[in-house]
């Protein structure tokens, strides 16, 4: 039996999470913020996690990859003043989104747990922060998201791209949960909870992009 303490929601800290789905892993859902999450004992080791990321072949020269990133880049860039200062959180082994913002005249710092682990960049203030396909990997989503939010200047924007949970019926067939580095899964309701928690303005852009603006 899993200790009740371990079933506490890693985002809102509620202790009322219940089993949402079971396959090779057990997935719990929080009734308060609606985060679906995997328990820590089913996380990959840091070495195994990095080994999976090392196989990614995303490249700044790949037009298809840039089109994919446009789903976050375009709505986020439309919110920015010229020459804004940003942070690409979870930049990965081949940073591309940061280059797209730099091409548009902005300056961008990089942070990635494995590939750009300089925590000094997390002690600065930014006009915008991008997090493309990264929040689903967070082992401690509350701690990491609160840290990012504290790095935003007033009226700053946090742009997040991640696939979102639709409902319990669709979840068993969802390809996104098959990636063992994915350990927490957000829904629109989760982002609504975050917006309320932060007193932020929430903008939904497409099926998997949200913008949270500091008011």
């Amino acid at each position: 039996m899993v200790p009740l303490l371990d079933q506490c929601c890693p985002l809102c800290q509620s202790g009322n999470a219940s089993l949402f789905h079971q396959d090779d892993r057990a997935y719990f859902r929080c009734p308060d913020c609606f985060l679906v999450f995997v328990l820590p004992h089913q996380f990959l080791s840091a070495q195994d996690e990095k080994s999976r990321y090392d196989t990614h072949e995303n490249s700044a020269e790949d037009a298809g990859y840039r089109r994919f990133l446009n789903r976050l880049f375009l709505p986020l860039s439309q919110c920015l003043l010229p020459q804004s200062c940003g942070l690409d959180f979870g930049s990965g082994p081949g940073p591309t989104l940061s280059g797209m913002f730099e091409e548009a005249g902005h300056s961008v710092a990089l942070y990635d747990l494995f590939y750009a682990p300089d925590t000094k960049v997390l002690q600065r203030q930014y006009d915008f922060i991008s997090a493309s396909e990264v929040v689903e990997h967070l082992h401690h989503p509350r701690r990491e998201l609160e840290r990012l939010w504290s790095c935003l200047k007033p009226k700053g924007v946090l742009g997040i791209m991640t696939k979102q949970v639709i409902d319990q019926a669709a979840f068993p067939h969802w390809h996104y949960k098959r990636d063992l580095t994915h350990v927490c899964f957000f829904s629109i309701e989760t982002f609504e909870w975050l917006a309320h928690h932060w007193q932020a303005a929430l903008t939904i852009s497409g099926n998997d992009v949200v913008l949270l603006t500091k008011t």
Side-chain angles (χ1 to χ4, degrees):
M1 180 177 293
V2 178
L4 291 178
L5 182 62
D6 287 347
Q7 292 176 216
C8 287
C9 175
L11 180 60
C12 74
Q13 310 298 306
S14 168
N16 299 318
S18 59
L19 186 67
F20 185 66
H21 178 68
Q22 174 85 54
D23 49 33
D24 293 337
R25 300 189 291 178
Y27 306 83
F28 292 83
R29 182 171 66 174
C30 176
D32 296 328
C33 72
F34 297 94
L35 186 77
V36 175
F37 59 93
V38 173
L39 298 179
H41 73 277
Q42 293 188 309
F43 293 172
L44 295 180
S45 68
Q47 180 178 358
D48 287 344
E49 189 174 0
K50 183 177 183 297
S51 293
R52 288 177 181 254
Y53 300 149
D54 286 343
T55 66
H56 292 181
E57 297 181 351
N58 299 327
S59 166
E61 286 73 45
D62 185 337
Y65 184 47
R66 290 171 69 97
R67 283 195 299 272
F68 170 74
L69 292 175
N70 267 336
R71 293 154 73 178
L72 176 57
F73 170 74
L74 292 176
L76 181 51
S77 62
Q78 290 168 5
C79 300
L80 305 179
L81 295 173
Q83 299 181 327
S84 290
C85 176
L87 170 69
D88 186 14
F89 180 78
S91 50
T96 301
L97 186 58
S98 57
M100 294 166 67
F101 281 109
E102 288 171 344
E103 290 166 6
H106 307 296
S107 60
V108 185
L110 303 180
Y111 178 80
D112 189 282
L113 179 63
F114 295 109
Y115 302 103
D118 181 5
T119 57
K120 291 179 183 177
V121 301
L122 300 175
Q123 299 168 16
R124 303 174 192 162
Q125 295 282 295
Y126 301 96
D127 300 305
F128 70 96
I129 297 174
S130 59
S132 172
E133 295 291 315
V134 62
V135 296
E136 64 275 7
H137 300 280
L138 297 179
H139 291 187
H140 305 283
R142 185 183 184 95
R143 183 181 72 193
E144 297 301 331
L145 291 174
E146 292 285 10
R147 180 162 62 170
L148 290 183
W149 196 246
S150 71
C151 289
L152 276 179
K153 297 176 183 178
K155 301 188 183 302
V157 185
L158 171 61
I160 296 174
M161 181 159 66
T162 186
K163 298 294 184 188
Q164 296 169 14
V165 177
I166 298 173
D167 56 38
Q168 195 166 13
F171 194 83
H173 314 289
W174 195 30
H175 75 281
Y176 211 58
K177 70 177 179 59
R178 297 176 195 151
D179 186 332
L180 297 183
T181 67
H182 294 177
V183 296
C184 55
F185 306 92
F186 294 69
S187 64
I188 288 298
E189 291 84 359
T190 312
F191 290 119
E192 290 173 342
W193 180 91
L194 268 176
H196 182 266
H197 173 67
W198 285 332
Q199 296 298 293
L202 174 65
T203 302
I204 299 168
S205 179
N207 294 327
D208 54 3
V209 173
V210 299
L211 307 177
L212 291 147
T213 304
K214 214 169 200 179
T215 55

